[in-house]
Amino acid sequence: MDIWEKLERYGVDLEGALTRVLGDRELYLECIQDFLQENSYNRLKECMAVGDYEEAIAPAHALKGVTANLGITPLNEKIVVVLEALRGGKREHLQEQYEAFCKEMETFQKLLL
């Protein structure tokens, strides 16, 4: 199975994502790699580890935007829930929601290995 089949099976909106990069598949894969190396995920982990929920909003927002633009729907759906909880101060289930996002992120990372 090639990378495109893996991404599609995972639930990536390839049609929408490729439209945003004018159909340039190589550029899209570069954007995926940039996303995986970008610091927002690590920054979110740092903020959540120390309970700094106000500071966690910025990296969560960045992750929301990147996952939406790249069409990574399963990740985007999870981070949207986390971001809404952070912004709304609804922290009753925040840790569970955050852990679900992290698990989804690990699944996505493994997909690309």
Side-chain angles (χ1 to χ4, degrees), residues 21-76:
V21 294
L22 304 174
D24 188 334
R25 288 176 170 249
E26 189 173 315
L27 175 59
Y28 178 76
L29 291 178
E30 287 176 22
C31 290
I32 291 282
Q33 289 305 313
D34 288 347
F35 162 64
L36 293 174
Q37 295 171 9
E38 198 262 335
N39 196 39
S40 292
Y41 180 53
N42 289 330
R43 181 69 186 131
L44 178 62
K45 286 169 56 175
E46 291 168 4
C47 292
M48 292 298 292
V50 297
D52 192 345
Y53 302 126
E54 289 301 315
E55 284 296 315
I57 292 172
H61 181 77
L63 288 164
K64 176 187 165 224
V66 172
T67 56
N69 282 325
L70 293 175
I72 311 170
T73 306
L75 270 178
N76 184 261

